[in-house]
């Protein structure tokens, strides 16, 4: 071809970003569908000859968690799509890609991404969206997948074998898709792991659980579990365990949290910045729970978000 416009990426996402970047320059807002942003009319379109290169992103995995969705998103999704199915999620995937994101924790209040529509995980992988699950849903299993099978909440303390089998099925099911596996465990519905247990008991128990989860990952995906992306989120009481000496393997990304109100509680120290798994940030734009819910538009001011994301970047919490 004598004259051609070539869009090439270092991987499929790089190419997708190039396509959507061109689309944006043509005048299509990333929000053309979700916010009905009109497409600008242009009488002519042209590309200046030459080579234009965009480097790698500052943050490796960038995405959102659709949570506390029951009051606003769910009725709309049911009216427009029937449920949280692939018709809905492909609209989310496209928006993420147009905004140069690549990562998603799916809605989980009454939903199970992988089970509700078998096309959900397949299309996520086709679109190039890396999937995960929330900090309380380890090993690529949704809490609702458990609730639909069992009358009682999970309890590793009394029924470790059932939980391990449940986790193994999830890892086996999704092992051919691009995912980041949440490890560790909390009690169901954001409760501590060992009811009425001491911090020392919870810490020892959690270390045992992580070792067993890593064994499953090694047996089902890669004998070298360190080659499989994983994260651990020291949310609420779990951060206390870390501060009292609990550690996860060096290759696991530590996902530090805010205080539910947009103030990051902790950032990596100089020593922690040497960890191969790196660090990331789990950040609330709004919050449902005690002591009071914090749900509405723009509950966290943009300037505050910028300040805390800038702190995260400068302290090396750039993995996720």
């Amino acid at each position: 071809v004598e004259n051609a416009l070539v869009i090439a990426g270092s991987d499929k996402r790089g190419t997708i970003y190039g396509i959507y970047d061109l689309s944006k320059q043509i005048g299509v807002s990333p929000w053309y569908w979700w916010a009905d942003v009109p497409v600008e009319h242009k009488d002519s379109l042209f590309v200046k000859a030459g080579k234009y290169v965009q480097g790698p992103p500052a943050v490796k995995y960038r995405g959102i968690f659709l949570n506390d969705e029951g009051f606003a998103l769910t009725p709309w999704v049911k009216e427009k799509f029937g449920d949280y199915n692939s018709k809905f999620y492909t609209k989310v995937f496209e928006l993420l890609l147009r905004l140069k994101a690549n990562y998603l924790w799916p809605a989980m209040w009454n939903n199970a991404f992988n089970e509700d529509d078998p096309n959900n995980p397949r299309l996520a992988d086709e679109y190039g969206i890396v999937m995960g699950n929330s900090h309380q849903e380890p090993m690529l299993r949704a809490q609702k997948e458990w609730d639909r099978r069992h009358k009682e909440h999970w309890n590793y303390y009394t029924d470790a074998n059932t939980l391990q089998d449940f986790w193994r099925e999830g890892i086996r099911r999704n092992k051919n898709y691009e995912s980041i596996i949440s490890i560790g465990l909390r009690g169901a519905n954001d409760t501590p792991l060992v009811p009425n247990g001491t911090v020392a008991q919870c810490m020892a128990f959690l270390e045992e659980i992580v070792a067993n989860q890593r064994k499953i990952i090694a047996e089902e995906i890669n004998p070298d579990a360190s080659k499989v992306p994983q994260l651990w989120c020291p949310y609420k009481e779990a951060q206390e365990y870390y501060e009292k000496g609990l550690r996860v393997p060096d290759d696991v990304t530590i996902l530090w949290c805010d205080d539910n109100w947009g103030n990051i509680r902790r950032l990596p120290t100089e020593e922690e910045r040497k960890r191969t798994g790196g660090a990331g940030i789990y950040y609330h734009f709004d919050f449902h729970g005690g002591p009071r819910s914090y749900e509405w538009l723009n509950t966290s001011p943009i300037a505050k978000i910028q300040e805390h994301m800038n702190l995260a970047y400068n302290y090396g919490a750039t993995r996720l």
Side-chain angles (χ1 to χ4, degrees), residues 103 105 132-135 180-184 228-233 251-255 320:
Y103 183 60
W105 285 1
N133 290 84
S134 70
H135 56 85
I180 301 176
I181 301 169
S182 297
I183 63 168
V228 181
Q230 296 154 65
L231 67 82
W232 178 60
C233 185
D251 58 274
V252 175
T253 301
I254 296 182
L255 196 63
L320 192 152

Side-chain angles (χ1 to χ4, degrees), residues 68-131:
D68 303 337
E69 69 275 10
F71 306 118
L73 187 61
T74 297
W76 179 83
V77 166
K78 290 195 169 176
E79 180 191 331
K80 300 296 181 187
F81 299 97
D83 209 343
Y84 284 92
N85 53 35
S86 55
K87 291 178 185 173
F88 164 75
Y89 273 115
T90 49
K91 295 289 189 188
V92 177
F93 301 156
E94 183 190 341
L95 176 67
L96 291 174
L97 292 167
R98 284 182 178 272
L99 294 170
K100 292 191 168 66
N102 62 358
Y103 183 60
L104 179 66
W105 285 1
M108 54 81 73
W109 265 25
N110 198 36
N111 305 94
F113 179 83
N114 292 290
E115 286 190 345
D116 292 344
D117 182 344
N119 280 320
N120 282 343
R122 181 184 68 78
L123 286 167
D125 194 62
E126 190 174 307
Y127 273 72
I129 298 297
V130 183
M131 292 302 301

Side-chain angles (χ1 to χ4, degrees), residues 38 56 306:
Q306 193 277 341

